[in-house]
Amino acid sequence: MVTNEIVVGADAAWRRAGAVDWALQEAVLRRMPLRAVHLVDERRRHADVAPVTIDGQVIIPDPVPGVDQRVLDELSSYVAAADPELDLGTDVLVGTPSRRLAELSGEVELTVVGRRGAGKFARLLIGTTSEYVAYHGQGPVIVVPAGWQARAQAPIVVGVDAHEQNDAALDFAFEMAELHHAPLRMVHAGETMDGLVDERQAKHPDIHVERRLVEGHPVEALLDAAESPAAQLLVIGGHHHRASTLMLGSVARGVLHHATTPVAVVHERS
């Protein structure tokens, strides 16, 4: 069962990332509960907590380490200052962060992760955790770049592939455009998408839809559509993917690694 909730993954460096701020904005706009999840890797938990022996058995206690509790306290204070009426939950979960967040995505409305990579060129890379969740999650997974700033009423861009199921991605893109009072920019290759768009346009008559045919490499086309003028979100489809299709495989990887705007990978729920 999917709960009416937004989950955001937050590590100790959450202030330098954009994921918490994006999730907070969306929770306030939707009046939806926000759940900030801090993941403690199983290996680090065991390293931080000294084992004890009771009746000859070695037991590893399972408290919340001090540094992790501070992360939760900071998150709670930050969100409360932004909107005291927002329903906020904070959790520490033990396990591999990527897998636990991917599992949680199947239970909630939206899952939000930071894009932050590692090393000298971290700003241009996607981290392994966020990439794993983007590819293996359920429902919409939003990957937010570091330094994200809100762009009120900026366009929502959605990529559409004539050879794949586009329903989930299109539905989410129209929903976001209506919620944010933004125009919708649709990027597609080859065949026109009149039937797909007309049905949704009838449900959202106030949304202005702009259609662009892909010219050149699809990654470049999608990134260009998201940058001129600057968009607030780039939406692409998720499961089930084939490397030869427009939106997934190497194209999705290219978009996730190089987009300077948040990317929503919208999976069909199983």
Side-chain angles (χ1 to χ4, degrees), residues 81-111:
D83 189 338
E85 297 183 359
L86 185 65
D87 184 356
L88 171 70
T90 55
D91 289 328
V92 169
L93 299 181
V94 175
T96 305
S98 56
R99 294 186 182 276
R100 291 304 303 271
L101 285 169
E103 291 170 358
L104 281 174
S105 69
E107 305 170 6
V108 298
E109 191 74 20
L110 296 176
T111 305

Side-chain angles (χ1 to χ4, degrees), residues 42-103:
E42 181 76 19
R43 292 165 298 179
R44 187 169 72 81
R45 177 181 70 99
H46 287 175
D48 288 349
V49 181
V52 296
T53 302
I54 300 176
D55 295 332
Q57 291 187 330
V58 177
I59 299 175
I60 299 177
D62 193 20
V64 176
V67 63
D68 300 301
Q69 185 60 55
R70 285 196 295 274
V71 171
L72 296 185
D73 293 342
E74 291 172 359
L75 282 166
S76 297
S77 299
Y78 186 76
V79 172
D83 189 338
E85 297 183 359
L86 185 65
D87 184 356
L88 171 70
T90 55
D91 289 328
V92 169
L93 299 181
V94 175
T96 305
S98 56
R99 294 186 182 276
R100 291 304 303 271
L101 285 169
E103 291 170 358

